[in-house]
Amino acid sequence: VEQAIRLLLEGIGENPDREGLKDTPDRIARMCTEIYGGLDEEADQHLLKQFQVENNEMVLEKDITFYSMCEHHLAPFYGTANIAYIPAADGRICGLSKLARLVEVFARRPQVQERLTSQIADTLMRELAPQGVVVVIKAEHMCMNMRGVKKPGSKTVTRAVRGLFEQDATARADALALMGE
């Protein structure tokens, strides 16, 4: 990564050895370890610890902040994820922090928002076997804000609906209303 950043700086006409830039390749390499750390994690590992509850009422975690990098431009996109699920008939749930960790693992990879949304929903369906899942993500993309069409403030909204929420319009509407959608 350090060599690539040196080449990038030279390629845009900068001197990578000047005072303000001489440590930049190292800083960018360390930053990449952090922001692409999800590549080295298995998301399902966060859902191994499960609990039982006496009911199967909807669980909703709202406004989970995330930061990711667009795989097309390597520019940031950021926003919030809302996740709702109805536990399996056996009452199996995960800890609330595990939903945020699931978002984080997938967001910390080169990504597109559409895939991020589906990965979260599909992993929950596979690992918790809930009756249904709804994931709604709202994000602002710097590749739209600062380059190309230059439309700052525009938001992209993606939604993944699985299981009971696909079939039951009332349950889906209830989840989306609680999410503020």
Side-chain angles (χ1 to χ4, degrees):
V1 172
E2 287 183 52
Q3 287 178 320
I5 297 304
R6 279 189 70 79
L7 287 172
L8 173 69
L9 291 170
E10 290 170 357
I12 64 171
E14 266 291 357
N15 174 6
D17 294 317
R18 78 172 169 83
E19 182 60 35
L21 291 175
K22 67 180 174 186
D23 295 328
T24 296
D26 175 61
R27 279 193 295 271
I28 297 293
R30 285 184 283 121
M31 179 186 73
C32 286
T33 300
E34 180 181 341
I35 65 175
Y36 297 116
L39 289 167
D40 298 325
E41 278 189 72
E42 295 296 327
D44 56 354
Q45 296 301 304
H46 294 290
L47 299 175
L48 292 177
K49 179 72 172 159
Q50 299 177 3
F51 307 95
Q52 300 293 126
V53 292
E54 302 300 316
N55 63 58
N56 58 357
E57 299 295 326
M58 182 173 27
V59 176
L60 170 65
E61 187 72 17
K62 272 181 73 162
D63 300 326
I64 302 167
T65 302
F66 73 89
Y67 301 90
S68 192
M69 296 295 275
C70 164
E71 69 182 33
H72 299 141
H73 302 99
L74 293 183
F77 70 96
Y78 57 93
T80 58
N82 297 318
I83 302 171
Y85 73 95
I86 297 176
D90 65 4
R92 210 169 351 138
I93 62 168
C94 66
L96 296 177
S97 69
K98 304 310 181 195
L99 298 175
R101 290 188 190 285
L102 189 61
V103 171
E104 187 75 8
V105 168
F106 287 124
R108 290 176 56 212
R109 299 175 178 184
Q111 193 59 277
V112 294
Q113 183 175 332
E114 297 86 345
R115 183 185 317 112
L116 174 62
T117 308
S118 294
Q119 286 174 324
I120 295 164
D122 293 341
T123 301
L124 283 169
M125 288 299 288
R126 185 177 60 252
E127 299 302 321
L128 287 184
Q131 296 177 56
V133 171
V134 176
V135 177
V136 176
I137 294 181
K138 289 183 187 176
E140 194 163 336
H141 292 249
M142 294 307 291
C143 58
M144 292 241 333
N145 290 0
M146 63 186 285
R147 59 154 309 278
V149 296
K150 296 183 181 91
K151 298 297 179 208
S154 62
K155 303 269 190 307
T156 301
V157 180
T158 51
R159 179 172 76 176
V161 181
R162 305 286 188 269
L164 176 73
F165 289 115
E166 286 179 292
Q167 302 140 12
D168 187 333
T170 302
R172 182 174 58 249
D174 187 28
L176 292 173
L178 289 170
M179 290 177 180
E181 299 298 315

